[in-house]
């Protein structure tokens, strides 16, 4: 296996996650495939930046730097990309810990020179200690985790999920960085979709690019108590619809919704059927899960309809943003409330419908 040299970028924004941040960094430093460096990008919080700088002042493999762009996750990631030295840049959420072979699995994927991005599997760590009985696994993307419906092993996908993902540096040189104005801004709104838009833009710039998810590259993502409640579920699925409208406006409904069609016509109906069957068998949460799937679909559809009307009425305003040296200018939306992250819907490899070669099971 060749050594691509992987830089890890962790974007942070609040001291409330201090212990989580330390745990995330520790998990990177304990990798069986050592990271070239770990970059902590602090989102406009000088107190947190100074505290982290003191905590890691005696380390050579951890660097702390401020977000050089506008507030938000996308600009923080772009700052990390520009400051990193690795041939591959991996991203880890600040409230997640990576398993020991996380980076090794990423590195294995890049043995194929066509591979431009590799993502992994994200498992939830519920604050209450267990999954709420009503919460359907098909909607785990709501909490930033891998959802039921993705095929197992190492498979070709349309887009990776940003909290557990990696890209070749040449991917950013070809397509530019993450579009700001789309991604999450601290705890203000449950936004996202920046990785979906980037991946679609990447495959347009490089039609030969291969994007993979390897379910053996595992991280464990903490789910705080407020996100275990239906109110967050409803808000997040509604924002998903707003986001998908923006993506469809930007890249066209054909590409923007291609994977979602399979998800809504096959994966979700099967989930409803399982929930109703469990309810008939008096198993806990069956009816709740079926109802939550229906509610989630309706909420997302409402957000999509409103987002489409807004886009038609107001248009989508774009302005150039900085990108890593060598990249093409990307554009950021100034549309209010652009929406939330799209789930990383997987597709089988083009042509044969089989997983990409070298796949395995976690």
């Amino acid at each position: 296996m060749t050594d691509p040299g992987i830089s890890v970028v962790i974007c942070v924004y609040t001291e409330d996650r201090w212990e989580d941040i330390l745990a995330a960094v520790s998990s990177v430093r304990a990798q069986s495939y050592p990271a070239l460096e770990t970059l902590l990008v602090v989102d406009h919080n000088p107190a947190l930046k100074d505290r982290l700088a003191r905590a890691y002042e005696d380390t050579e493999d951890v660097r702390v730097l401020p977000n050089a762009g506008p507030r938000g996750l996308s600009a923080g990631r772009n700052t990390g990309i520009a400051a990193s030295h690795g041939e591959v840049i991996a991203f880890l959420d600040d409230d997640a810990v990576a398993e020991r072979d996380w980076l090794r699995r990423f590195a294995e994927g890049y043995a194929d020179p066509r591979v431009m991005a590799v993502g992994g599997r994200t498992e939830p760590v519920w604050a209450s200690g267990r999954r709420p009985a009503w919460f359907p696994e098909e909607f785990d993307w709501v909490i930033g985790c891998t959802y039921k419906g993705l095929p197992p092993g190492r498979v070709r996908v349309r887009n990776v999920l940003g909290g557990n993902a990696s890209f070749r540096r040449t991917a950013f040189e070809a397509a530019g960085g993450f579009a700001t104005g789309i991604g999450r801004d601290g705890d203000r709104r449950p936004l996202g979709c920046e990785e979906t838009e980037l991946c679609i833009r990447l495959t347009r710039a490089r039609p030969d690019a291969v994007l993979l998810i390897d379910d053996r590259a595992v991280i464990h993502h903490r789910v705080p108590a407020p996100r275990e409640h239906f109110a967050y579920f409803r808000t997040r699925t509604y924002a998903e619809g707003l986001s998908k409208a923006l993506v469809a406006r930007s890249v066209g409904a054909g590409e923007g919704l291609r994977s979602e069609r399979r998800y809504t016509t096959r994966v979700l109906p099967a989930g409803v059927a399982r929930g109703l069957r469990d309810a008939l068998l008096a198993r806990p949460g069956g009816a709740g899960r079926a109802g939550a799937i229906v509610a989630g679909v309706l909420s997302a559809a409402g957000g999509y309809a409103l987002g489409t009307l807004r886009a038609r009425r107001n248009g989508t305003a774009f302005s150039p943003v900085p990108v890593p040296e060598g990249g093409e200018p990307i554009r950021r939306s100034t549309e209010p409330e652009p929406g939330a992250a799209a789930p990383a819907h997987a597709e089988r490899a083009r042509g044969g419908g089989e997983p990409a070669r070298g796949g395995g099971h976690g």
Side-chain angles (χ1 to χ4, degrees), residues 201-360:
R201 182 158 30 91
L202 171 59
T203 52
R204 282 185 166 182
R206 291 282 303 271
D208 61 333
V210 173
L211 284 64
L212 301 174
I213 285 182
D214 187 335
D215 68 3
R216 299 169 301 171
V218 182
I219 71 169
H220 299 269
H221 183 267
R222 189 173 64 81
V223 182
R227 298 187 185 183
E228 296 186 7
H229 298 294
F230 184 73
Y232 180 83
F233 179 91
R234 183 180 56 211
T235 299
R236 180 65 180 76
T237 52
Y238 177 76
E240 163 80 358
L242 290 172
S243 177
K244 294 313 298 182
L246 181 66
V247 172
R249 176 79 174 182
S250 175
V251 302
E255 285 187 274
L257 300 176
R258 181 175 57 193
S259 297
E260 285 73 9
R261 291 191 181 98
R262 175 187 175 277
Y263 174 73
T264 55
T265 59
R266 298 183 186 180
V267 175
L268 296 185
V272 171
R274 278 192 298 272
L276 294 177
R277 181 195 61 198
D278 287 348
L280 290 174
L281 295 174
R283 294 172 179 168
R289 289 192 298 276
I293 291 173
V294 173
V297 171
L298 293 176
S299 182
Y304 183 83
L306 178 60
T308 301
L309 288 173
R310 279 183 181 169
R312 289 175 179 172
R313 184 181 66 233
N314 302 328
T316 304
F318 294 97
S319 59
V321 296
V323 296
E325 184 177 355
E328 295 296 325
I330 63 171
R331 301 186 180 277
R332 65 180 173 89
S333 170
T334 54
E335 174 86 355
E337 295 182 323
H345 299 307
E347 300 171 30
R348 292 287 183 174
R350 295 171 186 165
E354 294 298 322
R357 188 170 60 185

Side-chain angles (χ1 to χ4, degrees), residues 21-333:
I21 295 168
L22 298 184
V25 173
S26 293
S27 73
V28 174
R29 301 182 80 186
Q31 289 293 298
S32 62
Y33 181 97
L36 182 66
E37 59 188 346
T38 300
L39 288 77
L40 290 170
V41 183
V42 184
D43 194 14
H44 298 272
N45 186 335
L48 176 58
K49 182 179 74 70
D50 292 344
R51 187 179 179 188
L52 286 169
R54 290 192 298 270
Y56 292 106
E57 62 183 349
D58 295 327
T59 63
E60 297 182 356
D61 59 327
V62 180
R63 286 193 284 152
V64 180
L65 57 155
N67 178 3
R71 185 184 300 275
L73 180 58
S74 292
R77 286 175 174 166
N78 288 340
T79 297
I81 295 164
S84 64
H85 299 106
E87 178 187 335
V88 170
I89 300 97
F91 300 94
L92 179 66
D93 277 345
D94 64 346
D95 54 355
V97 293
E99 290 192 1
R100 180 171 170 77
D101 289 334
W102 177 60
L103 291 182
R104 181 174 298 280
R105 300 308 182 188
F106 282 172
E108 290 172 353
Y110 291 107
D112 182 343
R114 301 173 302 162
V115 173
M116 290 288 112
V118 183
R121 186 173 86 245
T122 302
E123 297 286 350
V125 180
W126 301 93
S128 62
R130 62 179 181 178
R131 173 186 298 273
W134 63 269
F135 202 112
E137 293 182 48
E138 292 81 1
F139 275 80
D140 275 5
W141 55 264
V142 166
I143 51 172
C145 295
T146 301
Y147 61 93
K148 189 179 186 68
L150 282 173
R154 185 191 292 171
V155 295
R156 193 166 182 173
V157 294
R158 181 194 66 184
N159 63 275
V160 295
L161 190 63
N164 180 8
S166 62
F167 294 84
R168 283 195 197 272
R169 181 172 301 279
T170 52
F172 300 113
E173 293 171 357
F178 290 93
T180 63
I182 296 178
R184 186 177 288 269
D185 178 3
D187 288 324
R188 296 181 182 185
R189 296 172 298 176
L191 305 182
C193 203
E194 65 278 6
E195 63 274 352
T196 303
E197 191 272 342
L198 170 62
C199 289
I200 293 175
R201 182 158 30 91
L202 171 59
T203 52
R204 282 185 166 182
R206 291 282 303 271
D208 61 333
V210 173
L211 284 64
L212 301 174
I213 285 182
D214 187 335
D215 68 3
R216 299 169 301 171
V218 182
I219 71 169
H220 299 269
H221 183 267
R222 189 173 64 81
V223 182
R227 298 187 185 183
E228 296 186 7
H229 298 294
F230 184 73
Y232 180 83
F233 179 91
R234 183 180 56 211
T235 299
R236 180 65 180 76
T237 52
Y238 177 76
E240 163 80 358
L242 290 172
S243 177
K244 294 313 298 182
L246 181 66
V247 172
R249 176 79 174 182
S250 175
V251 302
E255 285 187 274
L257 300 176
R258 181 175 57 193
S259 297
E260 285 73 9
R261 291 191 181 98
R262 175 187 175 277
Y263 174 73
T264 55
T265 59
R266 298 183 186 180
V267 175
L268 296 185
V272 171
R274 278 192 298 272
L276 294 177
R277 181 195 61 198
D278 287 348
L280 290 174
L281 295 174
R283 294 172 179 168
R289 289 192 298 276
I293 291 173
V294 173
V297 171
L298 293 176
S299 182
Y304 183 83
L306 178 60
T308 301
L309 288 173
R310 279 183 181 169
R312 289 175 179 172
R313 184 181 66 233
N314 302 328
T316 304
F318 294 97
S319 59
V321 296
V323 296
E325 184 177 355
E328 295 296 325
I330 63 171
R331 301 186 180 277
R332 65 180 173 89
S333 170

